[in-house]
Amino acid sequence: MSPTPEELEFFAGQEELEIMPRFDCPTMWLISGDLGPFKAGIPNKVPLWIALHLRAQNKCKIIPPPWLSKAYLEQLKELEIKSPLFTKMPSEHYMAMAKMIFEVCPQDIPDADCVKLLIKDIWDSRMSKLRTAVLTFIDKGASWAKVDNLTQLEMCSIRPFFTHSLEQLHRFRKTIQVARLYSAGNSSEEVRRRLRM
Amino acid sequence: MSSKELKKSFSPRYFALEDILASQTRVPCRTEVAMTNCGFLDPSQETKDLAAGTQVEIPIWAARVLSKQKRALISLKMPKFYGECYGEVLTAEPAVVDLNKMGPYYYQSALQLCALPSDQAEKIAEVLPDILQKRVIAMADSYCLHRNVKSTDEVSNPLGNILKFHHVDPLEMQIFTDSKNASEELDDWLRF
């Protein structure tokens, strides 16, 4: 059906991240791809889940991605607050990645508290825009809308409410058609036949 | 109804419990022909037979069968709660109306009523989406509030200020609880 936050966290783990390994290791051939040869002190790109796994065992140091810094996020927050639409996020899974990195190694990120606060602010501003958009959509009874730059996790938050209420509204609107056919004197077999067409 | 069933029940399903219960709503009708041995349908009457022209209240599932066009044994009227004056109240201010008072399954019964051959069926059907729309908007803000944070209005009313908890039809309740659960799940996951 629809992905839960845990599943989205799993997908986010596949994003690439730079690490500084503290150990030496030749190439590892894994099913989903190869992990290039590790040499202590030379930065290397690996998927997020591997990076966090190694970090938890203290075998590497995480180099935060360029967007996870105070300056960049401040700029992004300005843009987000000013614009009535959604701005493009640095990564599809910015929230999930930030959460996972903060869980394992907040000390690797400079100004960790500021960064956390900035991400929260960006998240809140996007969520409030999303909520007003959903309300306007239901209010106007619109049938479609185009929205750019929404991430999966934000969509997760409105999902059961939005889809269920729209489904039920659609079901009621369909019943108007049914009622019209019935009151015109058609029998139920006729109605069923006509609706199937 | 679990949320999966809510998704699937696009049209009334024969075995869905909610549909069966909703079709229990009584419809006032008038018998057109005399029906022998049907006196039990009208509990106030003592006679064994029903004369033509008596007013009885029978459930929707029975009315549906008895009012088939080819051999209309009864003529139907819409129940009181779906009539004119209630319809006006509902179009004016849907969010404050107590839908539970109007029968245990307001929306589902209304959907079934629309399938009966009657002139007012269309009017009822047209009003329904607007009622649901306005009430859904009224509950839209409150489902995502965190469970520990409650405004003073909400202490006894998790649905926010306008839409009262006890006034809510089971269909809306299902939408509300599903969204609340999903939103709490997300909040729990987001703690960092």
Side-chain angles (χ1 to χ4, degrees):
Chain A
M1 259 224 302
S2 47
T4 61
E6 285 84 11
E7 289 168 3
L8 288 175
E9 187 175 337
F10 180 76
F11 291 132
Q14 295 174 340
E15 300 272 327
E16 294 244 312
L17 199 64
E18 276 222 338
I19 59 165
M20 182 91 80
R22 291 196 187 128
F23 61 102
D24 287 325
C25 183
T27 325
M28 283 193 261
W29 314 101
L30 301 181
I31 294 179
S32 55
D34 331 326
L35 290 185
F38 292 113
K39 276 220 149 19
I42 300 192
N44 222 318
K45 262 195 188 270
V46 292
L48 180 62
W49 63 274
I50 295 184
L52 293 177
H53 191 64
L54 293 173
R55 183 64 174 91
Q57 302 171 337
N58 231 339
K59 286 199 178 145
C60 73
K61 181 165 131 62
I62 294 213
I63 301 174
W67 54 266
L68 202 59
S69 67
K70 184 161 156 208
Y72 188 97
L73 286 174
E74 268 172 2
Q75 252 187 346
L76 199 57
K77 181 176 153 189
E78 289 293 323
L79 271 179
E80 186 69 49
I81 292 186
K82 276 199 212 122
S83 146
L85 304 170
F86 296 96
T87 52
K88 183 144 177 51
M89 283 288 119
S91 148
E92 240 319 291
H93 301 109
Y94 72 98
M95 194 60 175
M97 285 176 74
K99 176 189 181 253
M100 292 198 280
I101 297 181
F102 271 107
E103 243 173 8
V104 174
C105 52
Q107 57 270 40
D108 280 350
I109 305 189
D111 297 321
D113 295 327
C114 281
V115 169
K116 228 196 255 192
L117 224 62
L118 284 169
I119 293 198
K120 268 210 158 69
D121 288 339
I122 297 182
W123 171 265
D124 287 335
S125 112
R126 286 170 74 89
M127 290 299 287
S128 65
K129 272 193 224 169
L130 189 59
R131 249 176 270 160
T132 26
V134 161
L135 275 186
T136 343
F137 190 97
I138 300 185
D139 200 17
K140 298 240 175 79
S143 48
W144 69 277
K146 179 172 182 298
V147 181
D148 292 324
N149 302 327
L150 260 192
T151 59
Q152 286 279 3
L153 213 49
E154 291 150 3
M155 285 195 259
C156 227
S157 65
I158 52 168
R159 193 170 282 127
F161 176 68
F162 198 34
T163 45
H164 281 334
S165 31
L166 285 185
E167 269 178 42
Q168 296 303 319
L169 281 173
H170 172 82
R171 189 173 156 214
F172 287 7
R173 291 200 181 113
K174 201 155 163 237
T175 317
I176 302 185
Q177 217 189 6
V178 170
R180 263 186 218 139
L181 285 174
Y182 267 110
S183 56
N186 296 309
S187 69
S188 53
E189 292 84 22
E190 273 238 8
V191 174
R192 248 175 277 153
R193 201 168 32 97
R194 286 221 195 142
L195 284 177
R196 230 174 278 151
M197 288 179 14
Chain B
M1 285 200 261
S2 74
S3 69
K4 276 214 205 105
E5 281 180 37
L6 196 69
K7 197 172 176 195
K8 274 194 266 173
S9 73
F10 255 109
S11 49
R13 292 183 308 152
Y14 194 66
F15 288 115
L17 266 181
E18 288 72 18
D19 286 339
I20 297 179
L21 287 172
S23 63
Q24 267 301 105
T25 324
R26 299 195 158 240
V27 175
C29 28
R30 215 175 68 101
T31 53
E32 297 290 329
V33 291
M35 301 200 276
T36 46
N37 284 334
C38 289
F40 64 90
L41 284 177
D42 190 2
S44 62
Q45 275 206 346
E46 300 295 325
T47 57
K48 232 173 46 151
D49 307 333
L50 270 186
T54 20
Q55 306 272 11
V56 271
E57 296 230 332
I58 58 178
I60 298 182
W61 52 268
R64 195 184 304 152
V65 171
L66 288 175
S67 64
K68 274 206 166 31
Q69 299 293 66
K70 300 262 171 72
R71 43 181 186 119
L73 296 172
I74 53 176
S75 66
L76 298 167
K77 270 195 315 209
M78 289 292 142
K80 185 169 64 145
F81 289 122
Y82 299 88
E84 288 265 336
C85 46
Y86 282 94
E88 280 173 14
V89 173
L90 283 170
T91 33
E93 268 288 355
V96 298
V97 177
D98 185 356
L99 281 188
N100 265 328
K101 217 170 41 163
M102 307 217 200
Y105 286 93
Y106 184 79
Y107 289 119
Q108 296 281 48
S109 311
L111 292 184
Q112 309 232 349
L113 283 172
C114 294
L116 297 175
S118 154
D119 347 310
Q120 295 161 331
E122 205 177 314
K123 279 193 223 118
I124 301 180
E126 277 166 3
V127 166
L128 276 185
D130 298 321
I131 306 179
L132 183 66
Q133 196 174 335
K134 300 238 169 65
R135 288 171 73 95
V136 148
I137 292 180
M139 75 156 103
D141 284 325
S142 32
Y143 77 88
C144 42
L145 293 173
H146 194 256
R147 55 180 98 108
N148 291 332
V149 173
K150 285 197 178 145
S151 69
T152 40
D153 302 308
E154 270 199 316
V155 170
S156 54
N157 186 26
L159 268 147
N161 314 345
I162 311 184
L163 199 59
K164 299 247 178 301
F165 202 56
H166 307 288
H167 292 187
V168 166
D169 186 80
L171 192 92
E172 296 163 344
M173 186 54 103
Q174 189 61 40
I175 299 182
F176 179 70
T177 33
D178 280 345
S179 343
K180 194 156 182 82
N181 289 339
S183 146
E184 281 178 2
E185 225 182 83
L186 187 68
D187 265 341
D188 283 340
W189 181 84
L190 269 179
R191 301 264 138 252
F192 72 95

